[in-house]
Amino acid sequence: MFERVREDVRAMAERDPAAKGRLEVLLCYSGLHAVWGYRLAHRCWNRGGGFRLLARLLSHLVRWLTGVEIHPAAELGRRVTIDHGMGVVIGETAEIGDDVHMYHGVTLGGDTNEPVKRHPTVEDGAQLGANATLLGDITIGADAAVGAGSVVTSDVPDGATVVGVPAERVD
């Protein structure tokens, strides 16, 4: 567990040029605190039964403390970082790979009320700009970038950069 915390702190310190040191990141970065709270809630969720209510209560508390809402059933990889955090929403069936970096206001939202995979999949190394909105069962490819304020409703290929409303490829 402590190695994963060190790994997260190291990743955030490397990705944020404003970080003055690892202790500052450990103590003051609400996006990381939200990810750590999610990891605890996710463990409870996976135990099932009455632990699912505990998981939802924990995720509600984390949202209240950090401004980041991550459903405990979502799947997050390693070294996921959320810069500034406030307003980030990650839905129940979202899947996020390793080394994904996102900024404040990002939404990984659903596009149906049916009990199916309805939230985005974000593959390893992707970067999601501030206030980007990703809707539905779409895939953001490995090492892709989504520009700030973009609305994405279709798949983004590996390594591509998309911007705009609706998002279009620009590279």
Side-chain angles (χ1 to χ4, degrees):
M1 178 178 88
F2 292 111
E3 181 54 36
R4 293 286 294 268
V5 168
R6 279 191 286 277
E7 188 175 79
D8 289 340
V9 168
R10 188 177 319 115
M12 188 74 243
E14 290 170 0
R15 293 177 190 155
D16 184 2
K20 302 301 181 224
R22 291 187 179 166
L23 183 60
E24 176 189 25
V25 171
L26 176 72
L27 298 175
C28 301
Y29 277 57
S30 63
L32 281 182
H33 300 156
V35 169
W36 296 335
Y38 150 80
R39 295 204 190 288
L40 181 58
H42 185 69
R43 283 191 195 116
C44 292
W45 184 267
N46 286 337
R47 289 190 66 177
F51 286 99
R52 290 207 167 164
L53 176 58
L54 178 61
R56 291 302 303 265
L57 289 170
L58 181 57
S59 68
H60 184 74
L61 176 63
V62 169
R63 181 185 68 179
W64 183 74
L65 292 170
T66 66
V68 176
E69 181 174 346
I70 307 172
H71 193 286
E75 297 287 339
L76 272 65
R78 296 177 74 140
R79 298 171 303 279
V80 171
T81 52
I82 304 173
D83 199 347
H84 297 290
M86 186 60 72
V88 169
V89 177
I90 300 172
E92 178 182 21
T93 63
E95 299 174 39
I96 302 174
D98 296 338
D99 299 303
V100 170
H101 187 67
M102 64 186 82
Y103 292 88
H104 63 278
V106 168
T107 298
L108 276 59
D111 64 351
T112 181
N113 290 330
E114 301 299 317
V116 296
K117 171 80 166 99
R118 61 189 186 279
H119 298 92
T121 297
V122 180
E123 295 183 345
D124 295 350
Q127 182 171 316
L128 309 177
N131 297 307
T133 301
L134 290 63
L135 298 174
D137 182 14
I138 61 173
T139 299
I140 308 303
D143 300 310
V146 176
S150 297
V151 176
V152 185
T153 58
S154 59
D155 292 347
V156 175
D158 291 354
T161 298
V162 298
V163 297
V165 180
E168 295 181 7
R169 190 169 180 169
V170 294
D171 61 343

